[in-house]
Amino acid sequence: MGSTLAEKVWNEHLVRRGSGDEPDLLYIDLHLVHEVTSPQAFEGLRLAGREVRRPDLTLATEDHNVPTEGVELPIADPVSRTQVDTLRKNCAEFGIRLHSMGDTEQGIVHVVGPQLGLTQPGTTVVCGDSHTSTHGAFGALAFGIGTSEVEHVLATQTLPLRPFRTMAVNVEGTLRPGVTSKDVILAVIARIGTGGGQGYVLEYRGSAVESMSMEARMTMCNMSIEAGARAGMIAPDETTFEYLRGRPHAPGGADWDAAVEYWKSLRTDPDAEYDAEVTIDADELTPFVTWGTNPGQGAPLGERVPDPEFVADEEQRAATEKALEYMGLTAGTPLREVAVDTVFLGSCTNGRIEDLRSAAEILRGHRVSPDVRMLVVPGSMRVRQQAEREGLDEVFTAAGAEWRSAGCSMCLGMNPDQLTPGERAASTSNRNFEGRQGKGGRTHLVSPVVAAATAVRGTLSSPEDL
Amino acid sequence: MEPFTTHTGIGVPLRRSNVDTDQIIPAVYLKRVARTGFEDALFAAWRSDENFVLNIEPFNRGSVLVAGPDFGTGSSREHAVWALKDYGFRVIISSRFADIFRGNAGKQGLLAARCEQSDVELLWKLLETEPGTRITVDLNARTVRAKDLTVGFEVDEYTRWRLLEGLDDIGLTMRAEEAIDSFERCRPGFLPRTLPSPAG
């Protein structure tokens, strides 16, 4: 029997196969580090007198805490400043390359890795951040880890792990105009549930996925964790190779040919078997938004806020009731009538140049509703520069949106960009958990084009409503 | 890590599914650089509600949390485990745990015990009718006992062994250092390196 893509990458990285109950030991090709989940790991190394085994396979950026305005000033919040300073000290002490605020390469770790060409097919990538699944878009096996594991990788460049199961997510057909990979992944999560992917690597495949750009694929893989999965993967193809060609860390010369030859072998064999399989009809999809407090609580924009009374499962009914209460929504309200206060365009899910382009295209010639504030936060400083070269910043500011510097920003509100209690946002980020974007804040997850249309109309909207 | 064999303490019923790590510890508390002292951050948003279970005597002295399915979803933050431990929890019981959370818990000596949802319901009923009921969790026997109720739980064998022995993962991996060395010698040359930085 053949192997799946995930199994191939796994087997290529086996330092030692576990026997009996013992896990496998897996080699890690790239370890990405940021300021939030690393300080206690470095402290652990110091206490044990250990070194970083491979600083040359490690890269750090500042992203979660950084302010997105006044970036040339010291960070005002002393606690955030201490955390960022701690990362700087740790990277200096252990010899790790760091892209700090103000640096051209600074940005969200999951935007920076791919744009530098460090994320490559068939590699293993980890980071103390669950959205590490993003890098799976290149056919890498990429997953989030906890701080103890960060310390483990720093010390040994390996991780003891038990093999993941594999699930094929087939997306067949053609997406309609205005329907994006964000809508696809939200529909997948609504289908399989927030726990449906637990223990699995999801492999996205099918004609709709094959015709997606790298950035659209990253959006899908990014939210694999929201279905409970450890990782998402997409087999590398010409789109992947073209994206990588010429990037700073992509192989060059003869190495390029050797790499591409290897990358082409990274496909699930025809006779391989997945542990599970789901199929989504791309032709049927319409813009998708969330109404509740977990990413599985979503529906097509044309539908209404669900009525808990019609939810058969008791547990689900209780969860729906709690979600509607927190979200301040009445059952039966058309989703298109839900008014928002804030629109956030950014994050490791949708903060790349194509996301900014597609939102700007909708906003061109329109104004953000006077009742709405719109924040545009590029995923990295490179994305910001590129957008400015294309004049997108002017489109955003002319429409009345705020044009910011790079960081995680309002996706999780660790910096000053937060919702206030009761404030409602349409957000291109990945989590609509209670209080995620600020205590008491209410989040509707949307695609960049829905975010832009919503900013103009003031209620959840798709571009066709304009 | 201290070995874990059995633990007895007050059970706390948390009748919620999908308790994500943003609820266990909101992001604003993740800015600290220490590894302890997160007890005030545990369920910070929910604790502002005076009816929240941890604001009710004797549950505020609990050490065994009995929660709904899909506990620990979302962010990878290990702070969620630290906050639960710092508050005094030693065991979390749920019918389903998110993968990263379960891994983090095992590394920190917090037992994530998987019980059938029907058993979780029985425990909830018992804890709510008789607040202060003490639960005994026996890792050797893999049982949860409270009053006359005894139910089994699942935990993977390797985690169980590590918890029982109190073993540190990095130390275990270091025993395989030769295998790591020889793996590294065979890695293809085209693989990327972060150093030296092309930007200089």
Side-chain angles (χ1 to χ4, degrees), chain A residues 246-280:
Chain A
R247 296 206 175 250
H249 288 278
D255 274 350
W256 172 262
D257 297 333
V260 170
E261 197 186 322
Y262 171 58
W263 294 345
K264 284 182 173 166
S265 73
L266 296 168
R267 308 194 75 81
T268 294
D269 295 325
D271 57 340
E273 279 179 26
Y274 295 96
D275 299 301
E277 199 151 351
V278 294
T279 299
I280 302 274

Side-chain angles (χ1 to χ4, degrees), chain A residues 27 29 40 53-54 56 58 77 80 83 97 146-148 152 162 194 198-199 249 414 431 434 436, chain B residues 18 22-23 30-31 34 46 70 74-75 78 97 99 104 108 156 158 170 173 181 184 187 193-194:
Chain A
Y27 198 80
D29 292 317
Q40 294 86 356
R53 182 180 176 94
R54 296 296 299 265
D56 62 332
T58 312
D77 174 358
S80 287
Q83 197 163 56
R97 171 173 158 199
T147 297
S148 291
H152 197 112
R162 229 171 299 275
T194 54
Q198 261 170 38
H249 288 278
M414 282 193 76
R431 290 187 176 137
E434 290 181 22
R436 167 84 175 177
Chain B
N18 269 292
D22 272 82
Q23 304 316 314
L30 308 186
K31 298 181 185 183
W46 291 347
D70 295 315
S75 155
E78 195 163 309
F97 291 96
D99 292 332
N104 288 343
Q108 292 298 318
D156 75 82
Y158 184 72
I170 297 181
T173 296
D181 288 340
E184 278 181 335
R187 294 176 77 236
R193 291 177 180 214
T194 59

